Amino acid sequence: MGEASFLTDDEKRDATGSEPLPASSLTTLLAKYSPDQPRVPAGNSDGGQWTSGGEGGSPVGDEEGDHELLPENAQPVQGHHYTPRELFEGYDLRPEVRRFFEDDVTGKLLGGRHTWTREHKVYNEAVIEKFEAFLAEKSVSSKELTLDQAKEFSDKLVKESNDPRIRDFNFKIFIREIAFQLLMRALRRKR
Amino acid sequence: MIQKTHTNYEKIWKELYRRMKLVLDKYGTSYDFRAREGDYWIIDEPYGFDQHNVYFHKFKMFESRTVKELQALLGQFSGWEIFVTVCIDPEGASWPDMGLIIREYEIIDGLQRQYFPPKYQSIQYEGSRVGTDKD
């Protein structure tokens, strides 16, 4: 929520629930996140995004008119690719594998202003390094990689990675995703 | 002038990306993550702000003409800025985060030139100033 500088402190508290919540309280934010919350199934173009539950639910933050709720400077983006573009555009992959990587994104994010850090490059290099190692471990070329193997790579070596180069960057993105969901929930309540 | 709305953000982002690449390709090559070689890399995902981010991997990319040409692009993209990050890692050394913020009418100079080779320590950018915590 620290990124949402256009909100007043009260609005930030409102966005995070009825009880007072320090904007910096990561623990509290995480306590509100349930990993069991339903997500759109993988393979769907919204695969992996949170839903509000129920069948065929649209991703949270994707309801009609949501864009109009946002201040002009709060531009949501479609999400961060877990697998860098340099990987799925740079390697010879089966069409279905490439499509999976293309669609394998976080939910919508509240835009975060970059600073002069090198973390994005470090992340990309680390994921590509893991990918090369994964191919070697499976004894396959990139062209032979199956969809199941691509999913395994994405889940185990990227999303659940313990490598700090990957984990820390994904964690920052994850917090932005939460911030976006909370902001949209609060703005919808006011509508 | 290209006016931004909520619905055309990514279109504008892509157009500025395309134009930045045309400029930078004149002076260097895009970074190849497999070979870990190259002179620059424009972050290829839009992150919501009216901002592009480019990493410079070689000192030559900091030449004032390159920066000036990037700045000239912003005349058509009101309110947008280009973050340039120094992404040079000399072997065995750890450099602080530093770079430039290029805007249409100014350049925030956050380079710490003491880390640069002598040849590049005197680079100056017209219309630049030192940044503050409000930048």
Side-chain angles (χ1 to χ4, degrees):
Chain A
M1 290 304 289
E3 302 283 359
S5 56
F6 52 87
L7 294 178
T8 65
D9 288 342
D10 284 340
E11 285 170 330
K12 286 176 183 172
R13 276 192 290 276
D14 191 22
T16 50
S18 53
E19 71 277 22
L21 176 72
S24 59
S25 176
L26 189 58
T27 309
T28 313
L29 274 175
L30 287 175
K32 287 175 175 293
Y33 164 67
S34 164
D36 298 327
Q37 184 177 354
R39 286 180 174 240
V40 178
N44 183 299
S45 62
D46 294 318
Q49 295 186 30
W50 293 348
T51 79
S52 50
E55 295 207 3
S58 60
V60 175
D62 210 17
E63 293 183 7
E64 196 176 342
D66 271 358
H67 265 177
E68 284 66 37
L69 288 173
L70 291 163
E72 183 66 21
N73 63 344
Q75 183 64 53
V77 291
Q78 291 302 323
H80 152 73
H81 281 97
Y82 286 107
T83 303
R85 190 175 299 279
E86 286 73 16
L87 192 156
F88 63 77
E89 289 185 353
Y91 283 80
D92 191 13
L93 299 170
R94 292 179 180 183
E96 67 271 23
V97 170
R98 176 168 289 113
R99 211 161 33 243
F100 166 73
F101 284 141
E102 279 177 355
D103 293 342
D104 192 21
V105 296
T106 62
K108 281 188 179 178
L109 307 172
L110 198 60
R113 199 164 185 259
H114 259 267
T115 55
W116 292 318
T117 61
R118 287 162 273 187
E119 59 189 358
H120 204 133
K121 178 206 170 211
V122 171
Y123 176 86
N124 282 14
E125 283 182 344
V127 173
I128 288 171
E129 181 186 303
K130 298 280 181 194
F131 186 68
E132 296 274 4
F134 184 79
L135 294 179
E137 182 196 317
K138 301 289 181 188
S139 300
V140 293
S141 68
S142 60
K143 183 70 178 170
E144 294 167 332
L145 190 74
T146 66
L147 184 57
D148 283 344
Q149 288 172 329
K151 288 176 180 173
E152 180 187 343
F153 169 73
S154 174
D155 287 343
K156 293 189 176 164
L157 294 177
V158 181
K159 292 172 194 158
E160 297 167 17
S161 175
N162 280 323
D163 184 326
R165 297 172 299 171
I166 297 172
R167 180 197 59 206
D168 295 354
F169 189 72
N170 277 335
F171 188 70
K172 283 176 77 169
I173 296 285
F174 164 70
I175 293 301
R176 284 186 194 167
E177 188 180 355
I178 292 178
F180 180 72
Q181 311 302 332
L182 295 173
L183 174 69
M184 294 315 299
R185 192 174 300 169
L187 292 175
R188 269 190 230 112
R189 277 213 309 262
K190 284 184 176 176
R191 180 159 58 177
Chain B
M1 186 66 66
I2 303 171
Q3 296 297 329
K4 189 185 89 168
T5 68
H6 277 309
T7 52
N8 70 356
Y9 169 80
E10 291 199 22
K11 193 173 168 188
I12 297 173
W13 184 93
K14 280 181 186 166
E15 180 58 21
L16 183 53
Y17 179 98
R18 189 184 69 80
R19 295 189 195 187
M20 286 171 63
K21 192 155 171 30
L22 286 175
V23 168
L24 295 171
D25 280 344
K26 289 196 292 182
Y27 303 111
T29 57
S30 184
Y31 192 73
D32 179 334
F33 278 90
R34 291 172 71 177
R36 297 199 176 189
E37 283 177 2
D39 304 319
Y40 76 89
W41 178 57
I42 308 173
I43 291 183
D44 49 14
E45 292 203 293
Y47 275 93
F49 272 79
D50 295 357
Q51 180 190 87
H52 259 288
N53 296 270
V54 56
Y55 290 179
F56 282 177
H57 297 268
K58 301 277 172 60
F59 292 110
K60 68 175 185 179
M61 299 305 290
F62 286 93
E63 295 280 6
S64 56
R65 64 180 178 182
T66 312
V67 172
K68 195 170 182 177
E69 284 190 42
L70 288 176
Q71 187 178 29
L73 296 177
L74 299 177
Q76 289 292 306
F77 296 84
S78 180
W80 282 70
E81 59 188 14
I82 298 171
F83 258 67
V84 180
T85 296
V86 176
C87 201
I88 300 167
D89 298 305
E91 204 169 323
S94 177
W95 283 12
D97 295 337
M98 56 178 143
L100 303 168
I101 305 173
I102 304 173
R103 295 176 179 149
E104 185 181 358
Y105 298 109
E106 65 175 1
I107 294 170
I108 311 297
D109 188 339
L111 298 179
Q112 299 185 43
R113 289 173 175 71
Q114 68 272 27
Y115 291 97
F116 283 26
K119 181 183 171 187
Y120 294 97
Q121 287 183 359
S122 57
I123 289 178
Q124 294 298 324
Y125 304 106
E126 194 180 328
S128 70
R129 65 176 173 85
V130 176
T132 70
D133 58 358
K134 291 186 171 57
D135 289 316

